[in-house]
Amino acid sequence: MNFHQTSRAEAAPGQKTIALLRERDLSLPVTTIHGNRPGPRVLLTAGIHGCEYCSIQAAIELASELDQDVVAGRLTIVHLANASGFSERLSEIVAEDGKNLNRVFPGRDDGSQAERLAHLITSLQDDADFYVDMHGGDLHESMHPLVFIPGVAEKRITDRAREAAKVLDVDVRVLSSATTGAYNSAALRGVPSLLIERGGNGVWSRAEVDAYKRDIRALLAHLQL
Ligand SMILES: [Zn+2]
């Protein structure tokens, strides 16, 4: 896949762009699809934990398969948030600073690698109407498919997330009381969000990735009505 470099994740109406979003030494592979029809701005991130392969594979495939004729509004997909954790096969953490990216949101512009990554992703969250963070079991973790709903946000934010979670093909839905994590950080700033868990144990299967993609497509259909 060829990436051009950009300082902003955007696409003109009716266009799809695949780019490396650059900010100083940081780079995020991002696909932006600006649909032909109006609709909400939706952000998906995968690979905040770099070894949760099912979510990363699903994000990459969705970025390839979805286009401006299907998407209403704007869909932004971060294929892999924690590239160093992925390439060095590190459970949970970012290689450069040993921090768990999901525990440092909203991050800091002048912080360590994980904190600056969180800060960059926070800027994408703040430009979205709905945020989905795609996870799974980590290297040595099997996981029953489930969704976390931010329970500590304003009621209208939690209600929006709870409605959206109903369309997912999971039988466990958890109303979270946590305030940490990328999705809770977004919800506390007024962006409804979900965290989905599928797959685990450092592997992915065709069936799990397809199930993940069906969930995301169902969610997009719900949000874009
Ligand atoms: Zn995770």
Side-chain angles (χ1 to χ4, degrees):
M1 192 179 283
N2 289 322
F3 290 95
H4 76 270
Q5 318 256 320
T6 181
S7 60
R8 293 196 60 191
E10 58 187 8
Q15 287 196 355
K16 173 177 178 175
T17 63
I18 303 162
L20 273 182
L21 176 61
R22 299 298 304 264
E23 190 175 272
R24 288 176 292 181
D25 61 324
L26 303 178
S27 65
L28 288 177
V30 176
T31 291
T32 309
I33 305 166
H34 198 147
N36 291 318
R37 295 171 290 134
R41 301 166 301 166
V42 179
L43 172 66
L44 306 179
T45 58
I48 276 186
H49 295 138
C51 300
E52 296 171 358
Y53 302 123
C54 190
S55 64
I56 298 165
Q57 183 65 23
I60 290 169
E61 292 187 15
L62 285 165
S64 169
E65 292 165 6
L66 295 171
D67 64 24
Q68 48 273 47
D69 292 329
V70 175
V71 169
R74 195 194 64 199
L75 175 64
T76 305
I77 303 174
V78 175
H79 309 186
L80 171 62
N82 175 2
S84 67
F86 175 86
S87 60
E88 301 202 21
R89 201 169 163 80
L90 293 171
S91 181
E92 289 194 351
I93 60 173
V94 171
E96 287 86 347
D97 59 11
K99 292 186 177 176
N100 183 333
L101 175 55
N102 205 36
R103 294 281 170 269
V104 297
F105 274 78
R108 309 163 42 124
D109 192 31
D110 60 349
S112 67
Q113 181 87 2
E115 290 165 338
R116 286 183 292 116
L117 270 173
H119 187 263
L120 180 56
I121 294 168
T122 293
S123 72
L124 300 178
Q125 292 173 348
D126 287 343
D127 193 34
D129 300 308
F130 201 97
Y131 171 52
V132 182
D133 195 17
M134 300 167 68
H135 285 252
D138 215 315
L139 282 180
H140 308 292
E141 197 175 35
S142 56
M143 185 71 76
H144 187 81
L146 65 96
V147 59
F148 286 104
I149 300 159
V152 292
E154 278 178 47
K155 184 176 181 304
R156 67 184 175 87
I157 302 296
T158 293
D159 286 351
R160 181 108 194 274
R162 197 197 297 251
E163 278 302 307
K166 288 180 184 170
V167 307
L168 303 178
D169 184 22
V170 297
D171 54 15
V172 179
R173 295 174 179 81
V174 180
L175 188 63
S176 171
S177 58
T179 56
T180 59
Y183 78 111
N184 281 316
S185 178
L188 287 168
R189 289 194 323 286
V191 181
S193 61
L194 295 172
L195 185 159
I196 303 173
E197 305 262 17
R198 260 191 195 281
N201 290 319
V203 294
W204 64 269
S205 68
R206 184 76 264 154
E208 286 172 318
V209 169
D210 285 347
Y212 223 136
K213 291 196 296 182
R214 280 197 300 274
D215 269 347
I216 298 297
R217 286 173 182 271
L219 198 54
L220 291 175
H222 166 80
L223 295 171
Q224 293 174 350
L225 281 177

